[in-house]
Amino acid sequence: MTIEDLYQIGALYREQLASFRAEIQICGSGTCRSAGAAEIQRAFESVCEEEGIRPEIRIVTTGCMGLCGQGPLLRVLPGDVTYTRITAGDAERIIREHVINGKPLKERMLPEDYPFFTRQTPVVLEHMGRIDPESIEDYIAHGGYEALAKAVTYQSPEHIILEIRNAGLRGRGGGGYPTGLKWDIVRRGTSQQKYVVCNADEGDPGAFMDRAMLEGNPHAILEGMAVAGYAVGATQGFVYVRGEYPLAVDRMKRAITEAERKQLLGNRIFDSGFSFRVDLRMGAGAFVSGEETALLHSIEGKRGQPNPRPPYPSQVGLWGKPTVVNNVETFANVAPIIHRGARWFQGIGTKRSTGTKVFALAGRVRDTGLIEVPMGTTLREVIFDIGGGITDGGSFKAVQTGGPSGGCIPEKHLDIPVDYESLAQAGSIMGSGGMIVMDDSSCMVDVAAYFMEFCQSESCGKCIPCRVGTVQLSRLLDRIRRGVASEQDIETLEELCVMVKDTSLCGLGQAAPNPVISALHFFRPEFERHYRDHVCEAGVCPVHSTEAAGDAAGIESGGAHV
């Protein structure tokens, strides 16, 4: 494979696409699949056969189109017309009226200026939901692997790292560590063997960014990994994905095979001296395996438990060798940066948080789904402009960012920009991109208890502060939920949060108290109402019934064991 070969493949495929009379793209996200996307595709194929136009119409299942709350989604080209809440029964009208007669069905069309899409800035998601994720030719036709070709043919590894550093790309997995700096540490490692690892072990409740990208555009991740391998001097990469994502696993396996057949992975890529292979490793779904040292242990065939750091994986990583560990979204940003340059990337976002961020917008918001916005966009813009505001006429109460390691942000902070520093100042974190919106039907005590129960069940048990502390925190929160807690329990809860945060071995334990700390900070009166007045204003906790609380108080004796 040469650069000329790559351009020729792209040109031929674009000619092939242009030969179709129309193209029907059907969203193949998990939401749309569960709502009948496969049946819808068969219906469209059947109607096209009946009309005798099947060879003229390209019908393809894409990755996630984003607007999950209004799925199943379907797009018709030319015209770029998007239909929402499609059923198999709509196939006949859309084919006959829109495709054949050129008259789109206005009552089912999404307006061209729909804010959910127009307020976004797609970089990572630019081609997702528009290309066939099972076709490497489609990816190449949209500029795929040109960044890798540019890197290995014309640029030195040092130049690549400098470009990533100048772009200001920070790890999108939650920590926000400068990607170029991490790559430079690995490159400077003296070992002859180095590794590149893609952390696709997505485990935050409500988050599905990584799964969607793996399913919707797997080659973008492979290309980013290959560029990283060239930059740091690695010849082997691993994608670590949880086995609970079977379609993502299948798509990634297929993408690796296709890339090897096209000689875009393997030996002497683009006739250079650079060789790079990628293998897939599947995890069993333990949340702690998203912690990078635990993940590396799992790849090595060991139990997925964390190590104290330092040393960091960039110094002593997989099998003791220097290792780059970045998440899916970080690698998906690499090709656009190499292709368009660091200055372009710097022009998006804020000075310290450049580029965009992908979020899984969920909860009590009208338009849920996958979004990508420039860093610095305010929470208010995300929730009310893009998300369309609170559903069913409810009132905004809080937004939870960062998953079980994050915090709950109240209304008074809705105008803070979404970037690493601002979210930290508000008591939360960026995390990998989960964003759950809550209205006045949510109880913050119940929310804090939910996330603590999650951390308790996902603790690997290696260190005592996390293994025992999360259990005790859960018990204290349960006492508050049932209205049998005391002032002393609240004090103990706060002290225990600090102890678990300061003494746990890894990020899971260290961040586990965050939802509790932020809920106590911003919603303390709600906690007090539970144990002083036996009232849960949202009507969620069992304390809502004074009689039940009294019964519980009679059963419970003394404080929780801490």
Side-chain angles (χ1 to χ4, degrees):
M1 172 73 78
T2 64
I3 294 179
E4 290 73 23
D5 294 333
L6 185 77
Y7 290 150
Q8 187 175 19
I9 291 171
L12 288 174
Y13 199 77
R14 286 191 292 273
E15 283 181 19
Q16 183 181 339
L17 293 177
S19 69
F20 287 106
R21 174 179 175 179
E23 178 171 335
I24 294 171
Q25 300 173 343
I26 300 166
C27 179
S29 69
T31 305
C32 291
R33 288 199 309 276
S34 63
E39 182 188 359
I40 292 168
Q41 178 163 351
R42 287 193 293 272
F44 273 85
E45 290 170 345
S46 176
V47 174
C48 286
E49 292 284 356
E50 291 172 8
E51 296 293 333
I53 59 171
R54 184 66 186 92
E56 305 171 38
I57 310 297
R58 182 184 190 232
I59 301 176
V60 62
T61 297
T62 69
C64 181
M65 292 184 181
L67 188 54
C68 303
Q70 295 195 36
L73 301 173
L74 180 143
R75 184 184 296 114
V76 178
L77 303 174
D80 210 10
V81 175
T82 300
Y83 292 101
T84 62
R85 296 190 173 91
I86 288 295
T87 68
D90 296 318
E92 189 171 323
R93 282 191 66 199
I94 289 176
I95 290 295
R96 290 178 179 164
E97 295 184 27
H98 184 166
V99 176
I100 296 178
N101 296 322
K103 297 178 180 177
L105 277 63
K106 293 186 178 179
E107 71 273 18
R108 305 298 296 274
M109 285 173 51
L110 198 68
E112 290 182 10
D113 58 351
Y114 200 69
F116 183 89
F117 290 112
T118 58
R119 301 296 295 267
Q120 296 190 46
T121 302
V123 174
V124 169
L125 304 181
E126 182 179 6
H127 301 305
M128 204 169 81
R130 292 185 174 275
I131 65 172
D132 180 357
E134 296 190 350
S135 168
I136 192 171
E137 290 82 6
D138 208 351
Y139 181 67
I140 293 172
H142 288 80
Y145 288 106
E146 290 183 13
L148 177 61
K150 178 181 177 182
V152 303
T153 305
Y154 302 116
Q155 297 177 337
S156 67
E158 293 81 3
H159 180 87
I160 297 292
I161 290 176
L162 184 62
E163 194 76 354
I164 297 297
R165 292 186 71 160
N166 288 341
L169 177 64
R170 298 170 65 174
R172 300 302 199 242
Y177 192 80
T179 303
L181 181 57
K182 180 184 287 187
W183 290 15
D184 197 34
I185 293 170
V186 175
R187 187 185 69 82
R188 293 174 185 277
T190 56
S191 174
Q192 292 298 309
Q193 180 65 61
K194 299 167 184 174
Y195 296 101
V196 173
V197 172
C198 176
N199 184 350
D201 193 58
E202 182 176 59
D204 290 4
F208 55 94
M209 303 80 56
D210 290 357
R211 174 171 58 81
M213 285 186 266
L214 290 164
E215 291 177 357
N217 197 1
H219 286 288
I221 300 154
L222 292 178
E223 186 176 8
M225 291 179 67
V227 172
Y230 173 71
V232 304
T235 57
Q236 177 68 56
F238 291 94
V239 178
Y240 186 88
V241 58
R242 51 180 49 212
E244 296 161 321
Y245 288 176
L247 182 59
V249 170
D250 289 346
R251 291 266 167 84
M252 187 53 73
K253 283 181 178 176
R254 184 186 181 100
I256 292 171
T257 301
E258 282 188 314
E260 288 175 341
R261 286 176 178 165
K262 296 287 187 189
Q263 300 176 331
L264 295 167
L265 290 176
N267 296 327
R268 296 184 52 78
I269 295 171
F270 288 111
D271 283 345
S272 70
F274 172 59
S275 300
F276 190 72
R277 299 180 185 282
V278 176
D279 287 319
L280 200 65
R281 292 289 185 273
M282 284 188 286
F287 182 70
V288 73
S289 292
E291 198 279 339
E292 56 185 10
T293 60
L295 182 150
L296 297 180
H297 284 157
S298 184
I299 292 176
E300 292 171 347
K302 303 172 184 173
R303 185 175 180 181
Q305 287 189 317
N307 274 354
R309 298 178 303 174
Y312 293 93
S314 53
Q315 302 161 310
V316 181
L318 201 57
W319 290 294
K321 307 299 181 184
T323 302
V324 167
V325 182
N326 284 132
N327 86 327
V328 169
E329 186 181 347
T330 309
F331 282 123
N333 269 296
V334 170
I337 292 173
I338 300 302
H339 199 58
R340 302 175 188 173
R343 183 170 296 181
W344 162 79
F345 195 78
Q346 285 177 337
I348 306 171
T350 66
K351 187 176 180 180
R352 297 183 64 184
S353 299
T354 57
T356 61
K357 182 72 191 79
V358 177
F359 289 100
L361 184 60
R364 300 293 293 171
V365 65
R366 190 183 71 181
D367 285 333
T368 57
L370 205 63
I371 65 168
E372 184 175 6
V373 294
M375 294 280 197
T377 303
T378 67
L379 286 169
R380 188 182 299 278
E381 290 175 295
V382 170
I383 296 166
F384 288 91
D385 294 346
I386 296 174
I390 306 302
T391 187
D392 297 331
S395 300
F396 173 85
K397 186 170 189 176
V399 57
Q400 208 276 348
T401 67
S405 303
C408 299
I409 301 171
E411 186 174 11
K412 70 177 184 180
H413 288 311
L414 269 178
D415 291 313
I416 65 169
V418 177
D419 59 45
Y420 294 99
E421 287 73 26
S422 300
L423 288 176
Q425 289 172 5
S428 188
I429 62 171
M430 181 80 75
S432 59
M435 186 177 284
I436 302 172
V437 180
M438 290 169 275
D439 65 5
D440 47 14
S441 66
S442 294
C443 167
M444 302 315 295
V445 177
D446 186 65
V447 169
Y450 167 78
F451 281 111
M452 188 50 62
E453 287 173 7
F454 178 85
C455 291
Q456 173 196 332
S457 65
E458 293 292 340
S459 173
C460 75
K462 185 173 183 177
C463 73
I464 293 174
C466 179
R467 183 179 71 235
V468 179
T470 54
V471 172
Q472 298 303 331
L473 286 169
S474 284
R475 289 180 179 175
L476 287 166
L477 288 165
D478 185 56
R479 286 174 57 78
I480 300 171
R481 287 182 72 247
R482 290 186 290 119
V484 296
S486 64
E487 293 277 1
Q488 179 60 46
D489 285 329
I490 298 296
E491 291 180 14
T492 305
L493 183 71
E494 292 179 306
E495 291 172 2
L496 197 52
C497 280
V498 174
M499 189 276 289
V500 172
K501 190 178 181 67
D502 290 346
T503 60
S504 291
L505 176 61
C506 78
L508 189 153
Q510 292 163 8
N514 285 352
V516 183
I517 293 171
S518 70
L520 275 169
H521 180 69
F522 291 120
F523 301 95
R524 194 180 190 93
E526 200 165 326
F527 283 70
E528 294 171 348
R529 289 276 282 162
H530 279 68
Y531 69 83
R532 285 181 182 166
D533 306 326
H534 306 298
V535 170
C536 173
E537 293 175 354
V540 174
C541 298
V543 75
H544 186 58
S545 164
T546 304
E547 183 179 350
D551 292 344
I555 295 169
E556 193 78 21
S557 63
H561 298 287
V562 292

